[in-house]
Amino acid sequence: MPIIGPHKGKILAEEIRKSKPKHVLEVGTLISYSAILMGKEMDSAAEIVTIEIHPDEAELAGQNIQRANIPPKITIITGDAKVVITTLRGPFDFVFIDAEKDEYFQYLKLVEDKLQRGTVVVADNAGIFADQMKDFLNYVRTLVNTRADISKLAATA
């Protein structure tokens, strides 16, 4: 199953511990491994909104989240992230993207106006799938080099 796994999971958990987010957006829920991992590092005042396109996986994710009994409120939205993101209210102070690799740029552009100063954006598989996300990586590199309001963008292999 394509989850981030324990090594990258430690990196994600550390980013959550450092940034102490209150409103997280996750694009790509799958079975909720990452949402649970992040949620274990968050308090009960926090919220995670996670988007999963496949109804069966979203249902399984919901069951896993219930069993995990973690502090933050987690809302699973079933649908195409490119549509769902436009309906969401921000601001988000942490974004984790782990979905269709060739759509990362679209996800980021759609959520960009819902981010606050200092938001952390983590994109999984940016190394191994760099060829599929050239537009995303080029955009992020430009942002990092030209905008002072982006405090951190992390990419994991």
Side-chain angles (χ1 to χ4, degrees):
M1 184 148 297
I3 58 173
I4 66 166
H7 175 69
K8 291 189 289 182
K10 286 180 186 177
I11 296 167
L12 181 61
E14 180 61 26
E15 289 301 321
I16 290 288
R17 277 193 294 277
K18 282 194 250 179
S19 62
K20 297 177 178 48
K22 295 296 180 197
H23 199 204
V24 173
L25 173 63
E26 177 185 43
V27 180
T29 312
L30 196 56
I31 61 168
S32 70
Y33 180 89
S34 301
I36 292 169
L37 188 75
M38 291 186 289
K40 286 181 177 181
E41 304 299 328
M42 299 167 68
D43 64 38
S44 59
E47 178 183 13
I48 299 172
V49 175
T50 184
I51 305 167
E52 175 55 49
I53 196 166
H54 303 290
D56 292 344
E57 289 163 354
E59 185 177 331
L60 179 59
Q63 294 167 8
N64 290 337
I65 289 166
Q66 279 187 321
R67 280 195 298 270
N69 194 28
I70 53 178
K73 176 186 175 190
I74 299 181
T75 303
I76 301 170
I77 301 173
T78 305
D80 184 336
K82 295 183 306 295
V83 174
V84 173
I85 291 170
T86 65
T87 69
L88 298 177
R89 290 180 47 100
F92 293 99
D93 53 359
F94 195 96
V95 177
F96 177 56
I97 305 173
D98 188 12
E100 292 298 321
K101 308 312 174 202
D102 60 348
E103 295 179 356
Y104 276 33
F105 178 64
Q106 293 172 19
Y107 304 142
L108 183 59
K109 288 301 291 177
L110 289 168
V111 77
E112 201 169 37
D113 67 341
K114 301 169 190 320
L115 305 180
Q116 61 188 26
R117 185 176 186 88
T119 292
V120 175
V121 176
V122 177
D124 192 30
N125 301 123
I128 193 168
F129 290 105
D131 59 323
Q132 293 179 32
M133 50 177 80
K134 286 179 185 174
D135 54 354
F136 171 82
L137 293 171
N138 289 336
Y139 184 70
V140 167
R141 288 179 187 121
T142 302
L143 282 177
V144 170
N145 290 327
T146 61
R147 290 185 44 191
D149 64 338
I150 302 291
S151 68
K152 184 177 223 171
L153 283 153
T156 59

